[in-house]
Amino acid sequence: MRTPLTGALAAGLLTAGAVCVPPLRAQVPAPAVSKPISTYSVPRTPWGDPDLQGVWSSDEEAGVPFERPRGQTKAKVDGTELEALLEQREHQRAGTAPTIGGVTGAGPVHWYENWGRKSARTSLVIDPVDGHVPPLTPEAQRRQERRPRAGGSFGAGPFDQPDDFSLYDRCITRGLPSVMFPAIYNNNTRIVQAPGSIAFTYEMIHETRVIPLDDRPFPSDRIRGYLGEARARWEGDTLVVETRNFSEKTNYRGAGATLRLVERFRRVHKGLRYQVTVDDRHTFTRPWTAALNLSPGTGLFEYACHEGNYAMRNMLSAARAAEAGRKAQ
Amino acid sequence: MRSRLFGVVAGVAFAVAVAAVPVIAHHSFAAEFDAKKPVKLRGTVTKMEWINPHSWIHIDVKTPDGKVEQWMVEGGAPNALLRRGWNKNSLLPGTEIFVEGFQAKDGALRANGRDITFPDGKKLFVGSSGIGAPDERPEK
């Protein structure tokens, strides 16, 4: 990614070249403009903002590991290497699917909406360039030791009350930025724009964020939420959404109330490029960034998850049955 | 007394759980169903409930002594099933299906559907050929 610093440096050098050696100006390589110029121009709303509206899916990135597997050095592969990689992924998924989440499995793979996708990327993390999430700070490691229950229904319990399950189990939220990354179904985000605001509806759990685009300041840090407080702005044709003021109940890879996210959405020829920078000096030893190529989705279905969430009742009664079994022994 | 070792183990377990959670289902079937109670049910569909977050398939199962048990089988998310080609006619009442799964931990007549097939071995998913969905298990 080109940073503002290298951009400024390049511009400075070009200017210096232009001023100091005018006869050579035509021969001075100009990296910024020597790239093929794209003929693509982003569509715009009637009021002139880049138009990001529609339903976008992360399905095409399914199967790409969040972090790059050890031994893999390339960010993207092609040719026979890609064929081998896709075959390996498919075997791995088919082999583990019957027991995902434990011996009982998560259902037959023909229920998986995102089966058989063929992304050539080797990790969703793009910064650091090695594709790995930076280590937790010692402070965050100590914090994690104090809250071992956060694995939700996939953890070891105990499950005594609804609060012992994750926000995702409870149909409250899959959380930010997790909700953008591919799961086995419901990987769609709907974007709707109006002058001065933009709204995101996530199919999984079905929450909506309405984000101001009008330079208003962030509210007091005493106002906190599961999805934080967000403000958006345009940087050229890129939408930049900054989110902070997360609730203490947030737990994204160990980050909670001090989490700060900067998401970037940019229209590209056939879809949207999404990037999120995760910044929390109380949790990670440095900020890091993950990216997704989103493609046009097939529409959003209702996901009134809480209303039919019999699993909550069933998991609690299962825990009581296990408890009675232990007492009887 | 909670030892420091326990804390470290719990921390590691948490890290593993967090790393795994983003790619899996809405909730864990293992927390609901008993891995020690595998069941194989052959039954007739009486009702399919298209409810979120997961569908429920109701079947009548005849026991060897001639009684009929009413079982509920937890299925895939309605949105996913729709996109994978299911519709309201995919499992009409009266359809016979074969379910392999695990019974509820609390002993109720509920199971997860780890494998659901028609009696002739065909996969339940309608139109699954040619879309890259492999068989659920390696060939035996």
Side-chain angles (χ1 to χ4, degrees):
Chain A
M1 199 177 77
R2 206 179 103 168
T3 65
L5 183 62
T6 52
L9 194 62
L13 288 173
L14 284 173
T15 309
V19 171
C20 302
V21 279
L24 293 176
R25 186 168 50 180
Q27 295 163 24
V28 172
V33 293
S34 64
K35 290 178 188 167
I37 296 165
S38 169
T39 53
Y40 178 74
S41 60
V42 302
R44 296 197 173 269
T45 62
W47 56 94
D49 283 345
D51 191 346
L52 308 180
Q53 296 181 102
V55 174
W56 306 100
S57 166
S58 64
D59 274 346
E60 295 304 328
E61 300 279 42
V64 179
F66 198 79
E67 295 183 78
R68 190 165 305 149
R70 301 279 168 203
Q72 174 62 261
T73 52
K74 296 176 184 169
K76 202 173 176 181
V77 294
D78 54 18
T80 52
E81 211 176 345
L82 175 60
E83 282 171 32
L85 176 76
L86 294 175
E87 196 175 333
Q88 182 199 355
R89 268 184 204 163
E90 186 151 327
H91 270 98
Q92 206 169 11
R93 289 190 85 200
T96 56
T99 53
I100 288 174
V103 176
T104 56
V109 297
H110 62 241
W111 293 351
Y112 293 23
E113 212 176 294
N114 59 12
W115 196 272
R117 305 307 165 114
K118 297 183 171 22
S119 174
R121 299 176 61 203
T122 59
S123 69
L124 297 180
V125 174
I126 57 166
D127 177 44
V129 288
D130 68 359
H132 287 271
V133 175
L136 295 181
T137 61
E139 174 193 348
Q141 288 174 28
R142 285 193 297 275
R143 199 166 59 229
Q144 292 302 66
E145 289 166 15
R146 289 198 300 270
R147 47 178 193 189
R149 286 186 180 195
S153 65
F154 292 96
F159 302 121
D160 297 333
Q161 55 197 345
D163 288 6
D164 292 335
F165 293 96
S166 69
L167 299 176
Y168 187 17
D169 289 321
R170 293 161 63 193
C171 296
I172 292 173
T173 178
R174 210 179 140 202
L176 288 173
S178 306
V179 74
M180 292 299 299
F181 293 99
I184 64 176
Y185 61 89
N186 275 359
N187 295 317
N188 296 285
T189 300
R190 180 169 56 211
I191 302 179
V192 176
Q193 289 168 248
S197 64
I198 184 160
F200 295 82
T201 300
Y202 305 107
E203 187 173 36
M204 187 65 99
I205 309 298
H206 222 104
E207 64 270 58
T208 295
R209 307 163 74 196
V210 182
I211 302 171
L213 249 169
D214 58 3
D215 298 330
R216 78 180 69 177
F218 276 88
S220 156
D221 62 9
R222 284 177 298 176
I223 297 174
R224 296 183 171 274
Y226 290 127
L227 300 175
E229 284 287 336
R231 296 292 180 263
R233 62 180 187 273
W234 295 105
E235 285 181 4
D237 290 338
T238 302
L239 179 81
V240 181
V241 180
E242 184 179 340
T243 309
R244 30 177 137 136
N245 295 25
F246 282 98
S247 148
E248 273 296 341
K249 292 176 184 168
T250 301
N251 187 353
Y252 179 63
R253 291 180 166 263
T258 49
L259 175 64
R260 178 177 162 271
L261 299 176
V262 178
E263 295 171 283
R264 289 185 164 80
F265 298 81
R266 182 168 52 86
R267 192 83 190 240
V268 289
H269 182 49
K270 287 179 182 168
L272 280 188
R273 174 74 172 177
Y274 173 77
Q275 282 190 12
V276 57
T277 299
V278 179
D279 183 9
D280 180 2
R281 63 191 173 88
H282 296 286
T283 303
F284 302 105
T285 44
R286 58 158 282 193
W288 53 276
T289 301
L292 286 170
N293 295 315
L294 304 178
S295 50
T298 51
L300 230 62
F301 292 123
E302 183 190 41
Y303 195 66
C305 173
H306 189 67
E307 292 163 24
N309 197 358
Y310 301 145
M312 279 296 303
R313 178 237 172 250
N314 295 345
M315 289 189 289
L316 286 169
S317 70
R320 298 292 73 73
E323 201 171 66
R326 280 194 298 275
K327 276 182 190 162
Q329 278 174 5
Chain B
M1 193 186 75
R2 210 179 101 166
S3 68
R4 177 156 175 75
L5 180 63
F6 173 79
V8 171
V9 171
V12 170
F14 168 80
V16 171
V18 163
V21 164
V23 294
I24 48 185
H26 173 253
H27 63 263
S28 162
F29 275 178
E32 219 181 322
F33 302 100
D34 194 338
K36 296 191 198 86
K37 288 186 199 160
V39 288
K40 291 185 178 186
L41 306 168
R42 188 174 183 143
T44 307
V45 175
T46 57
K47 184 168 70 170
M48 166 116 187
E49 289 189 280
W50 288 87
I51 53 173
N52 287 305
H54 283 199
S55 59
W56 287 91
I57 303 160
H58 296 247
I59 56 174
D60 278 354
V61 178
K62 277 192 188 139
T63 61
D65 59 5
K67 287 183 189 160
V68 175
E69 289 181 345
Q70 295 174 327
W71 281 77
M72 289 173 71
V73 179
E74 186 161 5
N79 295 357
L81 297 183
L82 277 165
R83 289 204 177 94
R84 297 291 275 172
W86 288 45
N87 60 41
K88 64 181 180 182
N89 295 318
S90 299
L91 267 191
L92 291 172
T95 309
E96 198 178 7
I97 56 170
F98 184 68
V99 177
E100 276 189 78
F102 296 87
Q103 189 172 359
K105 282 183 178 173
D106 66 7
L109 300 184
R110 285 192 310 269
N112 68 320
R114 175 167 140 168
D115 253 339
I116 302 180
T117 50
F118 290 113
D120 64 3
K122 257 172 61 185
K123 296 297 174 192
L124 182 61
F125 176 63
V126 180
S128 65
S129 59
I131 59 158
D135 286 344
E136 286 70 48
R137 300 206 180 155
E139 293 294 325
K140 286 172 188 166

